[in-house]
Structures are given as C-alpha cells and as structure tokens.
Amino acid sequence: IDGDKKGGWTDQGAKNDLSVFPLEQKMFAGMEFKIIDPDTNGGKSCMMFKGPERDYFIEKAQIKAGKKAKYIYILHSSAWTPPKGVAGRININYSDKTTETIPVSTEKDVGEWWGADELENGKIGWFASNKGGTYVGVFVSKYSNPRPEKLIDNFSSSPGSGYFTE
C-alpha cells in the first residue's frame, strides 16, 4: 500500500516496486554481487535509506568487510533523485581506526530507478519493467579505495544533503 510505512522497495505500492528484481542473478554490469535472500532475512534484501519523501526509512547502516581492496563496487539506485548533489556518502572504516569518505553524486554515480539511464560512474546493472509497466533499473558504481594497502574493517553510510541513496 502506497505510503503505509511498511516498506516494499520505496513504499509506493505493490505495482510500483522492484519485486521483479532477479535475486538469483549474481552478475551486474560485469561485477559479481551477493544478494541477500529475503526468505532468510526477515523478508528484506536491500537497505532503504531515508530522504525527504520517505523520512521513516533507515538513516545509516554498517557492513562488515575484513578485506583489502583497490576498488569498491556498489549496486544501488535512488528515488525522487535531485538532478545535482550528493546522494550520500560511503565511509570506509579501516582496521587502524582511520576513515575515508567517498561522496555519491547524483550527477555521475547514481540516478533515479524509474527510467534508469547510464551515468559516467553509474553503469546500468539491471533493468526491466515493473508490475505497473514502468521501466526501472539499478546502477553499478566503481569507487577507488584511497587507501588500498589498508585492511577495511567495515563500510558505513552517512546522509547527503538531506537526501540518501537506496
């Protein structure tokens, strides 16, 4: 039900969601991702972050890593996307307690899930029509790790300018 605060992608109702997303698919824009099976995770397989249109979604999250990496790849999209600005920030928290922050730009990294269109650093990872007939998609963005020699303890999110990615 649209806006019932119970979720379901962007909480825009049963026909305007991403239930057609292929959970079994592993490769998106040439990169392998592990998608959490919602049947084993309380019915959830993605993180929805709050923004002006849906201020009741989560504000922050943390994902364990325990690895070194030259690059970080994110599978994401956004809703009610402003044409310019910072959608959010990825904090790389290293095991030595230092942090690097990478901004996620709505101009080059992530865009609207409705009618998703390639961006400079936002390759279309998947697209289809949802149950309402709207062309929808998700992006894959690649970020250079500023400290590839360091062990990454975890990634955490922080909001952008009153707006955040999904």
Side-chain angles (χ1 to χ4, degrees):
I1 297 171
D2 186 10
D4 68 356
K5 298 186 180 183
K6 293 182 181 179
W9 189 240
T10 54
D11 196 20
Q12 291 179 280
K15 289 188 178 180
N16 194 22
D17 66 8
L18 210 61
S19 60
V20 296
F21 186 81
L23 295 173
E24 69 287 346
Q25 184 173 332
K26 304 294 182 220
M27 299 297 289
F28 299 92
M31 292 306 304
E32 186 173 355
F33 288 87
K34 180 181 177 185
I35 308 298
I36 295 171
D37 181 352
D39 291 337
T40 64
N41 193 47
K44 300 177 188 279
S45 65
C46 65
M47 293 180 282
M48 304 303 291
F49 292 91
K50 71 188 276 183
E53 296 292 330
R54 297 292 190 259
D55 64 357
Y56 47 89
F57 288 151
I58 64 172
E59 186 168 341
K60 56 187 174 180
Q62 187 177 81
I63 300 170
K64 283 291 193 188
K67 296 180 180 183
K68 291 182 181 181
K70 187 172 181 179
Y71 299 105
I72 298 155
Y73 293 86
I74 306 292
L75 182 66
H76 57 167
S77 69
S78 60
W80 300 286
T81 311
K84 294 183 177 184
V86 175
R89 291 175 177 79
I90 301 164
N91 302 309
I92 307 170
N93 303 305
Y94 301 99
S95 60
D96 68 0
K97 305 299 182 205
T98 60
T99 299
E100 291 283 348
T101 300
I102 300 171
V104 177
S105 166
T106 62
E107 296 167 80
K108 70 174 197 167
D109 299 318
V110 69
E112 183 70 31
W113 71 291
W114 268 29
D117 197 12
E118 288 242 332
L119 299 167
E120 179 185 333
N121 187 41
K123 305 301 177 203
I124 299 297
W126 170 87
F127 63 92
S129 290
N130 68 11
K131 292 176 185 173
T134 302
Y135 166 79
V136 295
V138 296
F139 299 82
V140 174
S141 299
K142 175 183 175 181
Y143 302 94
S144 292
N145 178 0
R147 309 273 185 217
E149 72 284 357
K150 290 186 175 189
L151 180 67
I152 300 169
D153 181 59
N154 65 72
F155 299 98
S156 62
S157 62
S158 56
S161 304
Y163 175 79
F164 203 70
T165 57
E166 299 169 356

